[in-house]
Amino acid sequence: MIFHHRSFAAPKSLFRRINPELLHNYFKYHKTLQDFDWDSYIKDRWRLIEDLIEAFYKVPIKKREEIDAELRQVNSLSGLAAQETLEAVAKQFKLVWDDEQMPEDRALMVLMESKDAFLTACNWSNLETYASFADYIGAKPKEPKEWPKIKQALTDAWKLLLQNQAKGFGRVYIENYDAPDRRAYMVYYEAPGQYITRFDDMTDRPEEKTEKPVLEALLIYYPKTGRLKVKAKTDAIIETARDDYGKLVLGAEDYFTAGSERVYDLDQFKKKLDTSDFPTDPKDRIASVKVVALRFRPDGLTKDVIEINSAKGLKERLRTLKIDLGTAVIKRVRLQVKFEGVHKGLDKGFNLAAPNKNTLGDSKKDRLLEQYLVRWGISNR
């Protein structure tokens, strides 16, 4: 998988956020810096980090690159959404989870206790950064066929699909990820014989490397609900991918039948503009829900489009501008959801567009908000 990391300029900033004893255990885990005198820095953490960085850059380059790659993954798992995924995976693998630890410490603990669990969390956390899925649901829940039984047939189907999209005869491969509640499939295309000169991060020397594989599609299937989410570049690819998945994985090409698609009733936003119009359950710790932008046509006859934005109060803004939404055709809405807490990253903004598009991803919070859209009468499912 190609990982998207949180900002990570150098290990030094991450080392400062990790418990020194845990850092010591981590380098012991790698059998590295065994001559480093950790005990002499007990009362001087600042000097510890400075000297540790100096020692780290003297580690043989191959080992240093391995550790650097792991540290980038630890860093990527320290965000709020990634921590929710990490916690779920830790519990799935029956690992110790300490709510009092710092996020980076928890990620490092999982890594040292179970590399499989750590990589599983990395994979799912990375998957959850993608957004804007097409959404389909089958007539009834159905378990997918086991991956080894469908791998070749699904790969061949994608080769044909991408060749028909004028991609050529490059390599197509699919990565498969399983979780208790969902299955994910990432489809990559690697162009034949294409090379590019890149500068190596460690040596700054130019190297000719093959072009990186391109992610063409992401499919996520939920067996307990018979739901499929597809992200791809065009509607044609999405629809073919949906039908191929139904045929090859679920045994019925028309499993995701017409009429089962999600539909948004954006006319609800002609009246639902106050925070009180979006009630939530206290256990979900949602502090507020605001409508912060509307894009609409004044009526069904004109092609003119108006967009109104207001972070403070859209209803008052419309009143000030003397705009009546009674005959409007609403095309897009932006909602801003604030979760309780003081940490950065607790706000979630997303768009809804007619008839059924959104910019939500597949994280725990995204899935919760999809459920609320149904409760509020905006989504049919």
Side-chain angles (χ1 to χ4, degrees):
M1 178 182 289
I2 300 171
F3 287 98
H4 300 278
H5 299 290
R6 295 175 73 223
S7 178
F8 183 85
K12 186 175 182 178
S13 61
L14 182 61
F15 286 171
R16 293 193 188 283
R17 304 197 301 272
I18 296 175
N19 181 291
E21 185 177 348
L22 197 56
L23 267 179
H24 186 185
N25 291 336
Y26 175 66
F27 281 104
K28 283 173 64 178
Y29 165 83
H30 272 288
K31 298 179 181 178
T32 303
L33 299 182
Q34 293 174 311
D35 296 331
F36 190 80
D37 187 5
W38 293 86
D39 293 336
S40 66
Y41 297 95
I42 291 175
K43 296 182 179 180
D44 193 346
R45 183 169 178 172
W46 181 269
R47 192 165 64 88
L48 163 66
I49 300 303
E50 296 297 322
D51 291 355
L52 178 60
I53 285 295
E54 185 177 342
F56 175 66
Y57 281 114
K58 293 178 182 177
V59 171
I61 188 167
K62 187 174 181 180
K63 189 64 177 178
R64 192 168 78 242
E65 286 178 342
E66 177 189 348
I67 293 174
D68 187 80
E70 277 188 353
L71 292 174
R72 289 177 182 275
Q73 291 174 318
V74 167
N75 188 66
S76 72
L77 286 175
S78 63
L80 288 169
Q83 283 282 298
E84 290 180 345
T85 302
L86 182 66
E87 181 179 5
V89 171
K91 291 178 178 177
Q92 178 189 341
F93 279 77
K94 296 180 171 57
L95 306 180
V96 174
W97 182 264
D98 186 350
D99 286 324
E100 300 301 318
Q101 282 186 311
M102 294 294 290
E104 294 81 4
D105 291 353
R106 287 195 289 254
L108 209 56
M109 286 288 290
V110 170
L111 166 61
M112 291 189 289
E113 193 171 347
S114 171
K115 187 68 177 286
D116 285 345
F118 180 78
L119 291 176
T120 297
C122 286
N123 289 334
W124 281 108
S125 177
N126 189 60
L127 286 169
E128 290 165 0
T129 64
Y130 293 95
S132 304
F133 291 85
D135 187 292
Y136 305 96
I137 194 163
K140 60 181 180 179
K142 191 169 186 178
E143 284 292 327
K145 294 178 183 178
E146 295 297 322
W147 175 242
K149 296 180 180 179
I150 61 170
K151 179 179 179 180
Q152 191 59 53
L154 203 59
T155 302
D156 289 344
W158 272 100
K159 284 181 180 177
L160 179 61
L161 172 56
L162 293 176
Q163 286 168 12
N164 289 340
Q165 296 290 321
K167 279 286 184 180
F169 294 88
R171 180 186 173 214
V172 174
Y173 64 95
I174 303 173
E175 293 180 349
N176 168 64
Y177 302 100
D178 285 357
D181 63 336
R182 49 190 168 156
R183 310 285 187 273
Y185 311 83
M186 301 189 80
V187 182
Y188 288 94
Y189 173 80
E190 188 174 352
Q194 290 192 10
Y195 293 87
I196 187 169
T197 299
R198 290 192 178 91
F199 286 87
D200 186 87
D201 290 340
M202 294 293 181
T203 65
D204 281 335
R205 295 175 181 173
E207 295 183 6
E208 192 175 66
K209 298 182 179 181
T210 57
E211 186 64 278
K212 290 183 178 179
V214 176
L215 178 66
E216 294 291 339
L218 168 59
L219 295 83
I220 304 176
Y221 178 67
Y222 297 83
K224 291 183 180 179
T225 58
R227 182 184 184 193
L228 178 69
K229 296 168 71 171
V230 186
K231 180 176 178 62
K233 294 178 180 178
T234 69
D235 288 342
I237 293 178
I238 288 172
E239 290 169 6
T240 305
R242 173 200 63 197
D243 294 341
D244 284 347
Y245 190 84
K247 177 181 178 181
L248 299 172
V249 184
L250 301 173
E253 187 172 359
D254 60 350
Y255 178 76
F256 303 102
T257 54
S260 65
E261 290 87 352
R262 172 188 61 203
V263 177
Y264 293 138
D265 180 8
L266 298 187
D267 280 348
Q268 294 284 334
F269 292 99
K270 293 181 180 181
K271 297 179 179 178
K272 292 187 175 184
L273 294 172
D274 290 324
T275 299
S276 60
D277 293 323
F278 306 99
T280 59
D281 193 317
K283 69 179 177 60
D284 293 325
R285 299 178 59 81
I286 295 177
S288 65
V289 180
K290 291 182 179 180
V291 183
V292 295
L294 284 177
R295 177 177 289 186
F296 57 93
R297 297 205 310 266
D299 55 55
L301 301 176
T302 179
K303 292 184 178 180
D304 294 340
V305 176
I306 298 173
E307 183 167 319
I308 305 293
N309 298 274
S310 177
K312 294 182 179 179
L314 199 64
K315 190 174 184 178
E316 186 60 34
R317 184 95 191 271
L318 289 167
R319 186 182 293 118
T320 301
L321 295 172
K322 297 181 179 179
I323 293 176
D324 181 7
L325 296 177
T327 60
V329 179
I330 298 178
K331 307 298 291 181
R332 192 176 73 187
V333 178
R334 182 164 182 80
L335 294 171
Q336 190 75 26
V337 181
K338 183 173 179 58
F339 289 85
E340 292 177 3
V342 296
H343 301 289
K344 185 179 179 182
L346 287 170
D347 286 358
K348 176 72 181 183
F350 63 97
N351 295 338
L352 303 176
N356 55 14
K357 302 292 185 183
N358 69 42
T359 56
L360 289 168
D362 198 56
S363 71
K364 186 176 179 180
K365 283 188 171 65
D366 290 321
R367 283 176 276 153
L368 174 65
L369 293 173
E370 286 182 332
Q371 293 171 15
Y372 270 115
L373 291 174
V374 177
R375 289 196 211 178
W376 296 329
I378 296 163
S379 179
N380 63 328
R381 62 163 184 79

